[in-house]
Amino acid sequence: MSAYDVIVVGLGGMGSATAMHLATRGVRVLGLEKFGPAHDRGASHGGSRITRQSYFEGAEYVPLLLRAYELYDQLAVDSGRDVITLTGGLMIGRPETRTVAGSRASAEQWGLEHEILDAVEIRRRYPTLAPEPEEIALYEAKAGFVRPEATVAANLELAAKRGADLRFQEPMTSWEPAGDGVRVTTGRGTYTAGQLVIAPGPWAPELLADLGVPFSIERLVQFWFRPRGGVAPFLPDRHPIYIWEDVSGEQIYGFPAIDGPDGGAKIAYFRKGTPTTPDTLDTEVRPAEIAEMAAYCGKRLPNLPGEFRRGEPCMYSTTPDEHFVISRHPAHEAVTVACGFSGHGFKFVPVIGEIVADLATTGTTAHPIALFDPRRLTGAKP
């Protein structure tokens, strides 16, 4: 008999949620993490991530988002932690942009409450924003932000409380099939289980090379600026989250001031990264990067950039079509993979944990995940 039912490798956003869901079901879980709990070395840090339901990346995501919202609320209750805050959100751009048109299509298909605001109305409601006359916005009251570190910590605490064996500073060095299950080796020992979950974040190219998916790992920088005149107009009860697409297709995203009077307001490019690996990530934020963001956001938010407070790099693990990979491994029935979240995955953390727990225990899930089959990217037949 295996020592564990499931071994979860990687205890960031997706792995921590998976461990929590498995432990809640009474499954014997071993969690292995290369770093400490809720660390800042992967893709689950930076204080905030946008959450929204009118999803321009595809209407197929909406059912998963609705479930994720339910599970975030439950996680907040169970853990007592502040993991989700709804501030309202604006998807801004010209009507034909993906950000606006895609959000509107998802909202209309699923009957999500939303408003369409013209530039005059955007400026009236939010004087901190300066859209061009041709720009509009989809406003969604249920948009807001989730806190990645708090979410990971909450999932880890609940997983441990419910019986999961969580081990930190203990990365997997190898795994191999063993009978009907798997054998996992670390620097401290060897463990067996019926199933293995690999949730590697930006280590996907290294740990899942045999998957055949051409992941790209990119470095992007998150910036915090203290607005001119102070943070009052940017406080969460007065200011929404936003994603803003210009005529060239470039997107920025931003948040209210959620970290106190000196914390500033966070803003970043959505997809404007440079190739990296986790082991070669440049953690220095350079003056030229700060100046570029300051110049760009200053044209759109009159109170910014103000005073630069800090910058922090993060990593996107991106698939060629920017959709996720969530599946039983096509070549290994005892292995489930969750990776390639392409810069828009954290809002799904609770439901992905539920899905991966389903796959690891039953081999299937009631959630719609056909879009995330890795074989779409490798040419293999489903």
Side-chain angles (χ1 to χ4, degrees):
M1 186 167 112
S2 298
Y4 297 95
D5 298 316
V6 182
I7 297 173
V8 178
V9 171
L11 294 175
M14 309 310 173
S16 65
T18 298
M20 188 277 287
H21 279 285
L22 288 168
T24 301
R25 300 178 191 187
V27 175
R28 295 172 300 164
V29 184
L30 170 65
L32 298 173
E33 168 56 53
K34 184 173 185 176
F35 303 107
H39 62 81
D40 63 357
R41 302 289 298 277
S44 298
H45 65 281
S48 56
R49 294 288 189 275
I50 284 174
T51 189
R52 52 198 163 90
Q53 295 179 358
S54 301
Y55 215 59
F56 63 77
E57 289 89 344
E60 307 97 320
Y61 286 88
V62 173
L64 299 178
L65 285 162
L66 298 177
R67 178 59 174 158
Y69 269 62
E70 294 175 350
L71 291 171
Y72 262 117
D73 288 343
Q74 188 64 53
L75 182 64
V77 171
D78 291 349
S79 68
R81 285 181 174 266
D82 177 14
V83 294
I84 183 168
T85 301
L86 302 188
T87 61
L90 294 171
M91 305 297 112
I92 310 172
R94 297 193 178 194
E96 69 276 11
T97 58
R98 183 188 183 203
T99 300
V100 175
S103 299
R104 189 171 190 170
S106 285
E108 291 175 350
Q109 179 174 331
W110 290 99
L112 304 175
E113 291 185 14
H114 66 285
E115 298 177 70
I116 302 299
L117 312 180
D118 63 18
V120 172
E121 182 64 9
I122 297 169
R123 289 170 179 260
R124 186 190 72 79
R125 293 193 192 185
Y126 306 107
T128 54
L129 306 177
E132 296 178 353
E134 301 84 2
E135 292 181 317
I136 67 171
L138 179 143
Y139 174 77
E140 178 185 355
K142 290 186 177 179
F145 63 90
V146 296
R147 290 191 175 272
E149 292 93 339
T151 297
V152 173
N155 277 318
L156 293 174
E157 288 169 4
L158 291 172
K161 187 182 296 184
R162 295 169 183 176
D165 181 0
L166 306 180
R167 305 192 183 191
F168 300 96
Q169 311 294 336
E170 187 172 356
M172 176 181 73
T173 56
S174 65
W175 71 271
E176 61 185 352
D180 294 333
V182 294
R183 180 180 296 110
V184 171
T185 301
T186 74
R188 299 182 191 174
T190 299
Y191 311 99
T192 58
Q195 291 284 321
L196 171 65
V197 169
I198 303 178
W203 284 266
E206 174 186 339
L207 295 181
L208 291 172
D210 65 336
L211 201 59
V213 173
F215 298 105
S216 61
I217 310 302
E218 297 174 284
R219 171 189 179 272
L220 294 99
V221 179
Q222 307 163 90
F223 302 87
W224 284 260
F225 294 98
R226 189 175 191 272
R228 282 188 291 271
V231 299
F234 285 81
L235 292 175
D237 61 346
R238 301 175 64 181
H239 202 279
I241 61 90
Y242 56 90
I243 299 177
W244 202 325
E245 182 175 347
D246 67 20
V247 292
S248 73
E250 195 156 83
Q251 294 167 299
I252 57 170
Y253 65 93
F255 295 83
I258 63 175
D259 298 317
D262 296 320
K266 178 179 164 183
I267 188 168
Y269 288 107
F270 191 28
R271 297 194 181 280
K272 195 177 181 180
T274 55
T276 189
T277 71
D279 296 326
T280 61
L281 176 68
D282 181 2
T283 59
E284 181 181 350
V285 178
R286 304 181 185 281
E289 295 176 307
I290 300 167
E292 180 184 5
M293 175 52 78
Y296 190 92
C297 73
K299 299 174 183 176
R300 293 159 178 82
L301 295 98
N303 298 73
L304 295 181
E307 178 190 352
F308 174 70
R309 302 299 295 169
R310 66 188 179 97
E312 189 172 330
C314 65
M315 287 180 283
Y316 284 9
S317 307
T318 304
T319 65
D321 61 8
E322 298 175 4
H323 295 308
F324 309 156
V325 172
I326 309 171
S327 174
R328 279 280 181 92
H329 194 301
H332 304 285
E333 194 63 25
V335 179
T336 299
V337 298
C339 52
F341 292 101
S342 301
H344 65 112
F346 202 91
K347 62 184 71 65
F348 296 89
V349 156
V351 70
I352 289 171
E354 185 172 64
I355 289 166
V356 176
D358 291 343
L359 294 176
T361 53
T362 70
T364 187
T365 181
H367 291 293
I369 63 166
L371 178 62
F372 309 136
D373 191 319
R375 290 171 291 188
R376 74 185 192 277
L377 300 169
T378 64
K381 292 182 179 180

